[in-house]
Amino acid sequence: MNLTGMVYRPPYEANSLLLQVTLGCSHNKCTFCYMYPNVKFTICPMEQIEADIEEAAQVCPDVERVFLEHGDAFVLSADKLTQIAEAIHRKLPKVKTIAMYASIQNIKHKTDAELRRLCDLGIGGLDIGVESGLDAALAYMNKGHTAAEAREQLLRLTKAGIPYSFNAILGCGGADLWRENADATAELINAVQPHLLFIGSLHAQPGCKLYGDMKTGAFKECTTGQLLDEQERLISRLELKDTIYFGSHPSNLVPMQAILPKHKDEMLRIVRETRKGLQGRLDEYPLRGGEGSIINR
Ligand code: SF4
């Protein structure tokens, strides 16, 4: 089976079969993104996808979860996704879930009936880069959606029965808007009640617009103290019924996994303890390595 170009997947898809159905990302314009530079978005032909599924059936016939590559595979039409899902179920009968990255715009372009049909075919576990609930941050990050659109489309997914991960980025509003970013993002998360909340922290690598803007000062990065304050403020404002908080991404100053609301007090205690331990360094910027990993924790 061939996987072309850089392959990304969420950490919880480590045991999933990665099946390429597109190359690159149909949007490819997010200010902070360095995933697919110079990759022309392409939809893989059905013959190639079927050949890969056939090969997977020989190599891992018992696989239960498939993750469709690349950057926003949910951009495919409901008909193409139906064809792919049916081909998977024909050859890999133990597959229960077909997951993939998705954008808010990808959902908008499908009808309610199509979403229900995709749900019935096992399509779920959509990994959605919502990033923020603050329109100013979303506009600067060039996400292609507003907070109101995100709310509407995520509620449509829930109504159709499709589970998803809400991905949010601490620091998206920069040093000037960290409070607003925390408040608006918490408000959006509370409104849609995701099953899974994936938290990362803003970082930039050469090749994306954000990197240049940070260098010139056009975008003011959050300090260590501001990132911790934003995380505390976000968590304290979350009013969730039953959500997994997946915050182990190495870009986070306080990596943690928890269940909300059960662990809320403990999470806040850990953030406050971390801040105490970093006294004297709160006005500095976190030192980051590859994929934004914190190297001076
Ligand atoms: S939608 Fe995802 S893959 Fe595409 S440009 Fe934005 S962050 Fe990158």
Side-chain angles (χ1 to χ4, degrees):
M1 181 180 311
N2 295 315
L3 285 166
T4 307
M6 278 298 288
V7 174
Y8 297 90
R9 56 148 178 84
Y12 34 79
E13 301 291 353
N15 297 319
S16 304
L17 167 71
L18 303 182
L19 177 69
Q20 186 148 37
V21 298
T22 61
L23 183 64
C25 164
S26 72
H27 180 60
N28 215 15
K29 286 191 288 222
C30 295
T31 305
F32 58 86
C33 184
Y34 49 85
M35 288 163 84
Y36 304 107
N38 309 316
V39 177
K40 184 173 179 287
F41 176 73
T42 314
I43 296 174
C44 300
M46 202 57 213
E47 305 73 54
Q48 178 195 316
I49 298 169
E50 282 177 343
D52 284 348
I53 294 170
E54 183 70 53
E55 190 182 335
Q58 309 301 319
V59 180
C60 48
D62 296 328
V63 71
E64 294 185 0
R65 190 170 171 111
V66 177
F67 187 79
L68 303 183
E69 292 286 344
H70 266 171
D72 65 339
F74 202 60
V75 72
L76 294 178
S77 69
D79 286 348
K80 176 103 180 186
L81 285 168
T82 299
Q83 262 186 302
I84 294 168
E86 286 174 349
I88 290 171
H89 292 308
R90 262 197 309 277
K91 297 289 179 183
L92 297 162
K94 294 191 180 169
V95 167
K96 295 188 182 81
T97 306
I98 302 169
M100 69 202 86
Y101 288 120
S103 73
I104 296 300
Q105 291 299 330
N106 298 163
I107 307 165
K108 196 173 178 179
H109 294 136
K110 292 175 178 64
T111 66
D112 289 346
E114 286 173 337
L115 291 177
R116 279 196 302 275
R117 177 180 11 128
L118 295 174
C119 176
D120 290 344
L121 285 162
I123 286 180
L126 298 185
D127 199 272
I128 305 173
V130 186
E131 324 303 13
S132 169
L134 185 68
D135 280 339
L138 290 170
Y140 170 70
M141 294 302 167
N142 204 13
K143 285 303 299 179
H145 64 255
T146 62
E149 284 173 319
R151 177 188 167 124
E152 182 184 352
Q153 299 309 322
L154 294 174
L155 289 173
R156 287 183 64 229
L157 270 192
T158 300
K159 197 168 157 214
I162 297 182
Y164 64 88
S165 165
F166 183 123
N167 300 353
I169 302 180
L170 296 170
C172 240
D176 293 332
L177 293 174
W178 65 265
R179 291 181 192 79
E180 291 81 355
N181 194 50
D183 294 357
T185 304
E187 189 182 331
L188 178 57
I189 294 167
N190 291 342
V192 299
Q193 296 284 320
H195 166 67
L196 182 63
L197 181 57
F198 185 101
I199 299 286
S201 298
L202 191 68
H203 56 277
Q205 295 199 191
C208 68
K209 181 181 184 306
L210 179 63
Y211 186 81
D213 284 358
M214 280 183 175
K215 289 271 175 220
T216 61
F219 182 88
K220 278 192 260 163
E221 187 186 355
C222 286
T223 61
T224 293
Q226 287 167 335
L227 275 175
L228 291 169
D229 288 347
E230 182 174 336
Q231 186 171 13
E232 180 183 351
R233 192 167 173 121
L234 174 80
I235 294 170
S236 66
R237 279 161 171 69
L238 290 176
E239 299 293 340
L240 295 167
K241 295 184 187 115
D242 186 18
T243 293
I244 299 166
Y245 178 104
F246 191 97
S248 306
H249 195 272
S251 64
N252 291 325
L253 280 160
V254 192
M256 58 181 157
Q257 291 186 46
I259 308 283
L260 284 163
K262 190 171 163 198
H263 300 133
K264 184 168 173 174
D265 291 345
E266 179 63 5
M267 292 166 75
L268 289 169
R269 188 190 66 73
I270 292 169
V271 176
R272 287 168 189 148
E273 284 298 311
T274 304
R275 188 194 291 105
K276 268 193 217 157
L278 289 172
Q279 284 299 330
R281 288 168 48 195
L282 296 177
D283 291 336
E284 297 173 5
Y285 297 102
L287 276 182
R288 297 184 182 277
E291 288 208 40
S293 55
I294 301 277
I295 52 180
N296 62 338
R297 188 170 283 124

